Amino acid sequence: MRDTRESRLLLVLLVAIAFALITVDIRGGEDSPLDKPRTAAQTVFGPVEDTVATAVDPVGNAIAAVRDSDERHDRISTLERENAELKHKLGSDDRNRARVAELDKLLKTAGRGQYGIKGAEVIAIGAAQGFSWTVTIDAGSNDGLARDMTVINGDGLVGRVTTVGPSTSTVLLANDPDFTVGTRLEKTGELGFATGQGDRSLRVQLLNGKAKVKKGDRMVTFGSRADRPFVPGVPVGEVVRVDPARGDLTRSVQVRPYVGFSKLDIVGVVVKPPRTNPRDEVLPPKPAKKPNPTVTVTVNPSATTKPGGAAQ
């Protein structure tokens, strides 16, 4: 028992060190002195994260079995266990259906944008308080991934790949304060730069201080040179507030991202950019406006009158 506990503590310590190195490296950018150690850590601990994520459900079932093993002869406990197992099965089925729908949405988004993607699952999250907003996915260089690739899901822009190991990669999320992406307003084409603000909306600086923008306007990625780190046309979010114009060279707006960063599961890494810029084609269709209700007045045919004005 002592060896098992010590080995588990050691594993937790090593994983914590790996996340710390990844965080320092992301802050350092391209010239980080920890780039090589970071990659080594990703190589060593990525498979561990993948294995742990895969084993979560079996471990939970084993713990439940052990918890109930001392009460096998108690009829009430047996019924409770069977009921719990049934609920667990139904819950798993619901989750699987939700994940199938999420994958289908991702594929449709990639299809509209003509993005060649590599699907992946989120298997770990980084420390969001005081560090970076990151996630680890179960795909790496063995799957054709490289640094500075765009990451999307069925709703829009998730982030960009910052660290790549053989079987796992780290993704810097679009709501991270160090994250910046070029944007373009739907229809008007006004350009800007979106920056993450943690759990708040994105802040976008429009390059035109006199740009006409209003609440509800939508944005997509402008794209990068050679499509790295961002491909064009990925939905970013919707304007929720327009700051007052003060005659500055730029104009600031607040944008609610389409992606829910706290509930990421299935994502797609764009390994092949589109042949042509999809422009606004990847944005979801706007809901149809409800028609104004109309009132029609009809005359009751049963009400007839006699000559002289008397009703029959």
Side-chain angles (χ1 to χ4, degrees), residues 131-264:
F131 296 95
S132 297
W133 291 75
T134 63
V135 295
T136 302
I137 58 176
D138 64 347
S141 58
N142 292 341
D143 306 290
L145 271 58
R147 191 168 181 171
D148 286 337
M149 284 184 169
T150 310
V151 183
I152 66 173
N153 69 0
D155 296 317
L157 180 66
V158 171
R160 63 180 176 86
V161 176
T162 57
T163 306
V164 180
S167 59
T168 61
S169 299
T170 301
V171 177
L172 182 68
L173 301 181
N175 64 335
D176 186 271
D178 285 343
F179 188 97
T180 300
V181 58
T183 62
R184 182 180 56 78
L185 268 174
E186 180 185 15
K187 295 182 179 179
T188 65
E190 293 286 356
L191 303 181
F193 290 95
T195 303
Q197 298 189 109
D199 55 3
R200 295 181 293 164
S201 57
L202 305 176
R203 182 172 181 267
V204 178
Q205 288 289 120
L206 296 176
L207 300 182
N208 181 4
K210 298 180 180 180
K212 294 182 179 181
V213 57
K214 64 183 183 301
K215 184 177 179 180
D217 286 350
R218 305 187 296 179
M219 293 183 176
V220 298
T221 56
F222 175 70
S224 305
R225 184 175 182 179
D227 300 307
R228 299 275 288 271
F230 302 110
V231 294
V234 179
V236 174
E238 184 176 303
V239 175
V240 292
R241 192 184 79 195
V242 180
D243 294 341
R246 298 185 177 89
D248 298 332
L249 295 177
T250 62
R251 191 168 190 185
S252 178
V253 298
Q254 302 295 319
V255 174
R256 182 181 64 244
Y258 288 122
V259 171
F261 299 105
S262 62
K263 52 184 179 181
L264 291 171

